[in-house]
């Protein structure tokens, strides 16, 4: 893992955008894995700017990490809605090239198998963007997720539901399950950037950089990956030596 520390969130977002832009310029039909949450919002703003300055997204293929089970695409808190609202509606991406787990799939287990197969058929993910949960999750792979896990249905922990309750009217409205790419699915990506900003992520970044691998701390699976960048701001790096 390579660690890059930037002064602040704006600089972190610009650096992340530089990596994504270089990827798309060197391979216009790149397969990009996108993430949701607060962390990548600055990156997405930078990508929209890059598009206004001429960057072509028409050939990229995307796979999102996860989606709440039970939420339709049109639901304001679905990750499908987030991706279109925050990024895809503002760049020249082709709808048929966008893949986001379907929270209302008729047969979710079959859907997970098909999602995994589709990633493989696309040639695999060239660049995966990741955030890190307050509990160390990547995607919705919560503590205890097997490092060899594939795309599947998972139960969300109380902590994750509490963290995400701010987006719903009431914690009881936060779905209890989700579809997520597995840890082995994520690790198959050719390149990964994990973004983290703010003091509340500092302990997780310290653990990730200084402690050994354990399934109790899902992000630690990245230690085995040959091409991962941990891109953080000074606050998230504040507990590192
Ligand atoms: P956040 O979420 O970007 O909103 O902090 C990260 C995550 O849960 O993976």
């Amino acid at each position: 893992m390579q660690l890059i520390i930037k002064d602040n969130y704006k600089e972190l977002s610009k650096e992340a955008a530089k990596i994504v832009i270089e990827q798309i310029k060197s391979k216009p039909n790149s397969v990009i894995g996108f993430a949701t949450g607060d962390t990548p919002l600055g990156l997405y703003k930078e990508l929209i700017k890059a598009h206004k300055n001429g960057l072509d997204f028409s050939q990229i293929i995307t796979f999102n990490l996860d989606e709440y089970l039970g939420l339709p695409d049109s639901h304001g808190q679905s990750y499908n809605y987030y991706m279109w609202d925050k990024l895809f509606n503002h760049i020249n991406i082709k709808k048929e090239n966008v893949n986001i787990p379907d929270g209302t799939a008729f047969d979710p287990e079959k859907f997970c198998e098909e999602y995994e197969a589709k990633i493989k058929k696309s040639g695999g993910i060239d660049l995966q963007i990741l955030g890190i949960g307050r509990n160390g999750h990547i995607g919705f792979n919560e503590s205890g997720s097997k490092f060899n896990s594939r795309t599947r249905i998972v139960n969300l922990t109380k902590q994750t539901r509490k963290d995400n309750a701010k987006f719903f009217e009431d914690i009881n409205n936060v779905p209890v399950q989700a579809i997520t790419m597995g840890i082995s699915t994520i690790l198959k990506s050719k390149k990964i950037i994990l973004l983290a900003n703010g003091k509340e992520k500092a302990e997780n970044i310290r653990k990730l950089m200084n402690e050994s691998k354990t399934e109790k701390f899902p992000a630690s699976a990245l230690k085995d990956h040959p091409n991962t960048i941990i891109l953080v701001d000074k606050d998230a790096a504040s507990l590192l030596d």
Side-chain angles (χ1 to χ4, degrees), residues 36-40 131-134 137-139 164 166-167 200-201:
T36 53
D38 285 333
T39 313
I132 180 168
R134 280 144 201 81
H137 72 198
I138 48 175
N164 293 1
K166 60 185 177 207
F167 302 113
E200 58 180 8
K201 299 286 171 76

Side-chain angles (χ1 to χ4, degrees), residues 168-185:
F168 292 81
E169 272 169 22
D170 184 297
I171 187 158
N172 295 315
N173 295 344
V174 184
V176 292
Q177 287 188 311
I179 293 175
T180 185
M181 275 187 204
I183 293 187
S184 81
T185 322

Side-chain angles (χ1 to χ4, degrees), residues 43-201:
L43 159 64
Y44 297 160
K45 282 194 180 139
E46 292 295 327
L47 292 181
I48 293 167
K49 248 194 242 167
H51 173 61
K52 286 194 177 128
N53 290 325
L55 186 67
D56 178 23
F57 290 82
S58 68
Q59 292 183 62
I60 70 159
I61 296 167
T62 75
F63 286 93
N64 259 75
L65 280 170
D66 46 15
E67 177 62 285
Y68 291 113
L69 200 64
L71 290 197
D73 295 356
S74 58
H75 190 287
Q77 297 311 330
S78 78
Y79 289 166
N80 197 299
Y81 187 93
Y82 168 110
M83 284 313 300
W84 285 96
D85 186 43
K86 308 296 183 205
L87 180 63
F88 296 158
N89 277 334
H90 313 283
I91 57 176
N92 65 330
I93 199 159
K94 290 206 179 105
K95 198 168 192 297
E96 62 270 28
N97 289 351
V98 170
N99 299 283
I100 303 174
D102 179 359
T104 57
F106 175 69
D107 182 344
E109 280 172 16
K110 187 161 167 248
F111 179 88
C112 292
E113 286 297 319
E114 288 169 358
Y115 200 70
E116 194 79 28
K118 205 168 178 189
I119 295 173
K120 200 168 169 197
K121 202 168 159 219
S122 75
I125 293 169
D126 291 303
L127 175 63
Q128 175 67 54
I129 298 152
L130 288 181
I132 180 168
R134 280 144 201 81
N135 57 0
H137 72 198
I138 48 175
F140 271 137
N141 294 286
E142 306 279 36
S143 177
S145 294
K146 298 275 176 239
F147 283 169
N148 65 1
S149 55
R150 292 155 52 92
T151 303
R152 68 201 188 290
I153 298 158
V154 290
N155 296 324
L156 300 178
T157 61
K158 257 196 197 143
Q159 175 71 51
T160 294
R161 294 184 67 236
K162 216 169 109 199
D163 288 343
N164 293 1
K166 60 185 177 207
F167 302 113
F168 292 81
E169 272 169 22
D170 184 297
I171 187 158
N172 295 315
N173 295 344
V174 184
V176 292
Q177 287 188 311
I179 293 175
T180 185
M181 275 187 204
I183 293 187
S184 81
T185 322
I186 293 169
L187 291 180
K188 279 185 205 129
S189 310
K190 292 168 195 124
K191 184 169 186 166
I192 297 173
I193 40 175
L194 180 141
L195 311 177
N197 69 289
K199 284 229 153 67
E200 58 180 8
K201 299 286 171 76

